[in-house]
Each structure stands twice: as structure tokens, then as C-alpha cells.
Amino acid sequence: MVAASRLKQELPPKGGYKPFEWRRNLGSWAKSGWGWKALGTVAAIHFFGLYHIKKQSLLVREYTREEHEAFQAISPLLMAEDNRRTLRNLVENRETERQLFADDPDWIVGESTYFSRRWPVNCFQGPRLSYEHEFEQQSSLSKRYNAFTFNV
């Protein structure tokens, strides 16, 4: 009990404590509308970018359409040139074949090894003795042209 009487009780200072700020203090910058100004600026930049993306997309679409029309205009010339080259290669192949198989009397120059008169014909597929398939196999531009699609 004696030890307890010697201790001093802790009391507030004379005149009391300083006032305590318990409210939210955002400062003057938040009260002046900076958040809305920043949001408006970001939205303006965003829509400005979207406008330019759309404008560029229309420009690219126009260039693609123009390129497609130019390709359509010259594709008959390209196909004719490819056909001439294919026929020239076909003639060279036939001449080489004629020279290579000059010793074989049964060999028919230009006859397909798959669709020939020498082998039995499949009963489901009649004899195919024309040489159109050989020309189609060597013609590559028409296949590339048919496979090429434009998204305009």
C-alpha cells in the first residue's frame, strides 16, 4: 500500500489536449474538381485515339480495295504469262522424255504413268487419256489466285 501511494496518476496536461483531426481532409485540390478534370482529359485522349484508329482503318481499307482492283486488272496477264511458261516447260519435258526413252519402243511420250493404256483401268473411273490434268498440275498461278481471298 505504501508503494501505491507514492505513484502519481497520469493526468492530461493543464488546459487539455490539442484538438484531434478526425475528419477526412482531402485538401483544396480535391474540392476544386481535379478528379473530374483528369477523367475528362483521359476520356478526350481516348476518344481522339479511337477517331484516328477508325480513320486509319478506313484508309487501309481503301488501299486494300485499290490493290485488289489492280490485281484483278492484271491477273489475266499474269495467268497468260504463267500458262505460256507452263506450256514451254511441258514441251521441254516432252522433248527430254522423248530423248530419254528413245530406246523403249512401247513408251508413249506424254502419256500419264497413272492413267495409261498399259495398265488395267479402275472400274469406277473410266480411262482418262487427255493431257489436261498434266497442264493443271503444272499451272500454279490459277490455284494461288483461287486460294487468295480479299477481306474488303
Side-chain angles (χ1 to χ4, degrees), residues 86 112 114-115 132-140 143:
T86 303
S112 173
Y114 299 108
F115 305 102
E132 294 175 4
H133 64 281
E134 190 173 352
F135 178 74
E136 290 170 6
Q137 288 170 355
Q138 293 191 9
S139 176
S140 60
K143 291 175 188 169

Side-chain angles (χ1 to χ4, degrees), residues 3-114:
S5 62
R6 285 191 214 156
L7 294 174
K8 287 186 175 181
Q9 186 177 359
E10 189 176 327
L11 296 173
K14 290 181 181 174
Y17 290 110
K18 296 178 185 174
F20 177 71
E21 288 289 331
W22 57 272
R23 286 188 218 148
R24 188 172 162 201
N25 186 8
L26 296 176
S28 62
W29 66 272
K31 295 176 189 169
S32 63
W34 275 101
W36 289 107
K37 290 175 187 173
L39 182 66
T41 304
V42 168
I45 291 171
H46 174 74
F47 287 114
F48 183 72
L50 287 178
Y51 167 75
H52 277 284
I53 286 173
K54 180 68 175 174
K55 192 174 177 183
Q56 187 69 24
S57 174
L58 292 174
L59 190 64
V60 166
R61 183 183 295 177
E62 179 66 25
Y63 286 154
T64 304
R65 186 189 59 78
E66 185 177 331
E67 195 173 314
H68 176 63
E69 287 178 356
F71 181 76
Q72 282 182 331
I74 65 170
S75 64
L77 297 174
L78 294 175
M79 290 175 77
E81 184 177 325
D82 189 50
N83 290 344
R84 283 194 295 272
R85 182 181 53 79
T86 303
L87 287 173
R88 193 177 320 118
N89 289 342
L90 195 61
V91 168
E92 287 178 18
N93 291 347
R94 296 267 168 87
E95 288 301 319
T96 306
E97 185 180 357
R98 186 173 285 117
Q99 291 171 2
L100 286 174
F101 292 98
D103 302 339
D104 190 358
D106 294 335
W107 188 263
I108 300 173
V109 176
E111 186 177 38
S112 173
T113 55
Y114 299 108

